[in-house]
Amino acid sequence: MAVIALKCPSIEVAVVDISVPRITAWNSEKLPIYEPGLDDVVKKCRGRNLFFSNEVEKNVAQADIVFVSVNTPTKSSGLGAGKAADLTYWESAARMIADVSKSSKIVVEKSTVPVKTAEAIEKILTHNNKGIEFQILSNPEFLAEGTAIADLFDPDRVLIGGREETPAGLKAIKTLKDIYAHWVPQERIICTNLWSAELSKLAANAFLAQRISSVNSMSALCEATGADVTQVSYSVGKDSRIGPKFLSASVGFGGSCFQKDILNLVYICECNGLPEVANYWKQVIKINDYQKSRFVNRLVSSMFNTVSGKKIAILGFSFKKDTGDTRETPAIDVCRGLIMDRAQLIIYDPQVPEEQIMKDLLMPKCDWDQTGSTIQIGEETVWQSVKVVHNAYEATKDAHAICVLTEWDEFKSLDYKKIFDNMPKPAYVFDGRNIVDVGKLRQIGFIVYSIGKPLDPWLKSEMPAVA
Ligand SMILES: NC(=O)C1=CN([C@@H]2O[C@H](COP(=O)(O)OP(=O)(O)OC[C@H]3O[C@@H](n4cnc5c(N)ncnc54)[C@H](O)[C@@H]3O)[C@@H](O)[C@H]2O)C=CC1
Ligand SMILES: O=C(O)[C@H]1O[C@H](OP(=O)(O)OP(=O)(O)OC[C@H]2O[C@@H](n3ccc(=O)[nH]c3=O)[C@H](O)[C@@H]2O)[C@H](O)[C@@H](O)[C@@H]1O
């Protein structure tokens, strides 16, 4: 919305939220999220044509277009628990729009929603008996965190789905298209029917996550055979039909959307009587869970099968670099796995505050959660096992091993010789993001494990090829 305000000075954008602390932060000097470039955009427009407010109903009543971007998490109980999207927030937003509107509006689905949600929303909005006309559009968002501003300034495509079969539907599509046309070339604005737009978003996230699970599955085979996953991804990605992006092996994908959206897709397939299709996509998540537990097993087995009482430095907690977001970060499962094995963790992340890290590690796992760490860990154990510090040197001092769990640039250029000198021997590095210089670290004296890379001779003798 800030980018729309920046690119379309003639449009007034009011961002409304029921959360008072969030809106207060959006109106303050310190925005509630860390996102490179966002501060600049907000500061340029705030108070001009971009406003943040808790007066949800008043602003909705006055708007011509309402973008609904509320959260759509996975249902945690009841029918479809653990898979279906929880549309409670969406439904209550739609009811509120129906209640407060006095003029016709375009309602835009910005949140990621199950295919056919627009049909339900239409029913809620059109049963208002007020003679007001609502047009529903699906305009899914494809930005990635950490690169959100660049993605929005120069999107691969903008997708708008609407009722192409009616003149009013076509008019609404054109209205939204004209907004994006302020800065997005026409040929990159794709217009489709509602269901194609809704499903394309789920499909795009599923395809992206599938690439990561594919390369991660190869990383296990690389370790077993002596192939190097970086060389394999490079060679595979050189095929122009496959392409080079999104082929970096890792400790697993995280973020608030990939898992939730695939689970949602799986549920939709099951509801449509397509169990084979559902099982196909489920596998993407299973490999992701396998990759996280494989990493923990590698670590424990290479340290003589026990990390009990050993200090492990965790470098990085966010789900990717350049964001402070920890939703579904693989670090949660890896840390919980290590705590289960009674390790002492010293965690450092450049953007994630201590309260957030502790909140994530203390959060009880839901029964339906498929990850390896479903066993509940007592709160006291977490408090006793975790310390959060403010820099990488403090985290690694006296640590038996270092785990790199987020690919923050600063972890590439640390003084690893200094770090090595401050660690008991043998000193280990477990790189879950393939960012350290393995050769250089081995020369210093570290035993290094890097996902999908030929194994350190020490590791080969200490553990089976595939843990
Ligand atoms: N985070 C991301 O990078 C992307 C998110 N999405 C989708 O966007 C949607 C939102 O995601 P996030 O922003 O990450 O979620 P979020 O949970 O950070 O934000 C949702 C906001 O909606 C507010 N809210 C809930 N009900 C409301 C209501 N009735 N009226 C007013 N405000 C209400 C909440 O207070 C919260 O601030 C999800 O469907 C997600 O899948 C899509 C693409 C990228
Ligand atoms: O719907 C959404 O929320 C968004 O989800 C992802 O964006 P995001 O989760 O912010 O970040 P990504 O860059 O996709 O990374 C997701 C996870 O995959 C991991 N990843 C990514 C790429 C790769 O090659 N390997 C890999 O392990 C990242 O480290 C991270 O944990 C999609 O990339 C966006 O297009 C989409 O809009």
Side-chain angles (χ1 to χ4, degrees):
M1 289 306 117
V3 169
I4 289 182
L6 182 77
K7 300 290 186 183
C8 313
S10 59
I11 296 176
E12 186 172 315
V13 179
V15 177
V16 293
D17 200 297
I18 47 176
S19 162
V20 174
R22 281 202 177 192
I23 290 297
T24 307
W26 283 111
N27 280 320
S28 76
E29 279 306 297
K30 190 167 173 3
L31 302 186
I33 55 169
Y34 172 71
E35 187 63 49
L38 178 63
D39 279 46
D40 267 4
V41 177
V42 169
K43 279 173 190 160
K44 272 188 192 133
C45 312
R46 198 169 52 189
R48 186 189 74 182
N49 63 333
L50 175 66
F51 302 92
F52 296 93
S53 166
N54 287 120
E55 290 187 303
V56 179
E57 297 185 358
K58 182 180 140 206
N59 281 286
V60 167
Q62 289 170 354
D64 300 309
I65 307 178
V66 184
F67 289 82
V68 184
S69 323
V70 299
N71 35 332
T72 50
T74 306
K75 263 185 102 169
S76 58
S77 60
L79 185 66
K83 281 185 273 192
D86 182 348
L87 294 177
T88 314
Y89 305 99
W90 234 108
E91 189 177 332
S92 89
R95 286 182 189 280
M96 179 270 299
I97 296 170
D99 285 348
V100 305
S101 292
K102 295 185 186 73
S103 56
S104 297
K105 297 187 194 313
I106 296 173
V107 176
V108 182
E109 286 178 349
K110 196 43 139 168
S111 309
T112 304
V113 291
V115 56
K116 288 289 198 184
T117 298
E119 199 167 60
I121 302 302
E122 252 172 4
K123 283 187 186 141
I124 294 172
L125 291 172
T126 50
H127 279 70
N128 59 66
N129 298 325
K130 290 188 198 168
I132 296 176
E133 200 202 316
F134 290 101
Q135 275 299 320
I136 322 292
L137 297 178
S138 164
N139 173 220
E141 184 49 61
F142 295 102
L143 69 81
E145 291 181 27
T147 54
I149 297 298
D151 295 344
L152 290 166
F153 279 8
D154 187 22
D156 287 344
R157 80 314 210 169
V158 166
L159 180 55
I160 302 173
R163 291 261 178 221
E164 297 176 307
E165 66 280 14
T166 66
L170 281 172
K171 191 170 161 224
I173 293 173
K174 183 172 180 309
T175 305
L176 187 55
K177 193 175 173 188
D178 287 346
I179 293 179
Y180 285 106
H182 279 79
W183 79 99
V184 181
Q186 296 274 354
E187 65 278 10
R188 284 199 233 157
I189 307 178
I190 305 170
C191 299
T192 66
N193 74 32
L194 272 171
W195 325 126
S196 304
E198 287 179 334
L199 186 55
S200 299
K201 172 62 192 177
L202 294 179
N205 272 2
F207 277 44
L208 288 168
Q210 182 209 42
R211 278 173 81 94
I212 303 169
S213 280
S214 296
V215 77
N216 281 345
S217 72
M218 285 298 153
S219 75
L221 192 54
C222 285
E223 288 165 31
T225 57
D228 179 329
V229 77
T230 313
Q231 295 176 347
V232 173
S233 331
Y234 181 78
S235 314
V236 170
K238 271 290 170 191
D239 186 322
S240 60
R241 292 168 302 175
I242 297 171
K245 294 184 184 166
F246 249 69
L247 286 178
S248 303
S250 66
V251 60
F253 61 74
S256 62
C257 291
F258 280 172
Q259 173 160 312
K260 137 178 114 58
D261 294 347
I262 293 177
L263 288 171
N264 183 353
L265 187 66
V266 165
Y267 184 68
I268 295 168
C269 293
E270 286 171 353
C271 292
N272 281 284
L274 302 168
E276 288 80 3
V277 185
N279 285 336
Y280 173 77
W281 288 110
K282 227 184 260 176
Q283 205 57 29
V284 172
I285 293 176
K286 281 194 178 160
I287 287 287
N288 199 46
D289 291 338
Y290 164 73
Q291 189 74 346
K292 291 182 272 189
S293 53
R294 198 170 76 80
F295 186 84
V296 174
N297 293 346
R298 279 289 193 211
L299 188 150
V300 176
S301 59
S302 47
M303 294 180 77
F304 312 109
N305 244 354
T306 174
V307 286
S308 178
K310 291 178 186 166
K311 278 192 181 175
I312 314 280
I314 304 290
L315 299 187
F317 199 82
S318 58
F319 81 97
K320 64 186 281 198
K321 74 170 180 176
D322 292 338
T323 175
D325 196 343
T326 61
R327 290 178 289 180
E328 301 294 339
T329 176
I332 297 177
D333 289 321
V334 169
C335 289
R336 291 172 72 94
L338 294 173
I339 294 171
M340 288 299 298
D341 241 289
R342 301 169 61 192
Q344 289 292 318
L345 307 183
I346 329 283
I347 305 178
Y348 165 66
D349 186 285
Q351 283 298 333
V352 186
E354 178 171 358
E355 314 85 78
Q356 186 62 49
I357 293 176
M358 295 313 293
K359 195 172 150 201
D360 288 334
L361 294 176
L362 288 163
M363 192 167 53
K365 282 275 170 184
C366 299
D367 290 344
W368 46 263
D369 197 313
Q370 298 299 304
T371 57
S373 58
T374 40
I375 304 161
Q376 305 294 349
I377 308 173
E379 279 198 16
E380 206 173 316
T381 311
V382 175
W383 284 112
Q384 282 167 0
S385 312
V386 178
K387 191 176 166 202
V388 179
V389 296
H390 301 291
N391 69 65
Y393 295 103
E394 207 184 334
T396 51
K397 188 170 182 317
D398 299 327
H400 293 82
I402 300 171
C403 275
V404 180
L405 298 185
T406 313
E407 72 283 19
W408 286 100
D409 289 338
E410 67 175 70
F411 300 152
K412 293 181 192 163
S413 53
L414 294 171
D415 182 347
Y416 280 101
K417 174 74 178 78
K418 180 174 147 190
I419 288 176
F420 181 77
D421 291 341
N422 284 326
M423 290 172 68
K425 311 297 175 303
Y428 301 81
V429 171
F430 297 90
D431 183 2
R433 295 290 183 166
N434 284 346
I435 56 163
V436 304
D437 183 337
V438 177
K440 203 168 134 194
L441 262 61
R442 283 192 185 143
Q443 240 173 15
I444 292 173
F446 281 107
I447 295 159
V448 186
Y449 166 74
S450 204
I451 295 253
K453 300 269 185 181
L455 291 179
D456 197 297
W458 168 286
L459 298 181
K460 254 189 205 157
S461 61
E462 285 303 321
M463 60 185 187
V466 179

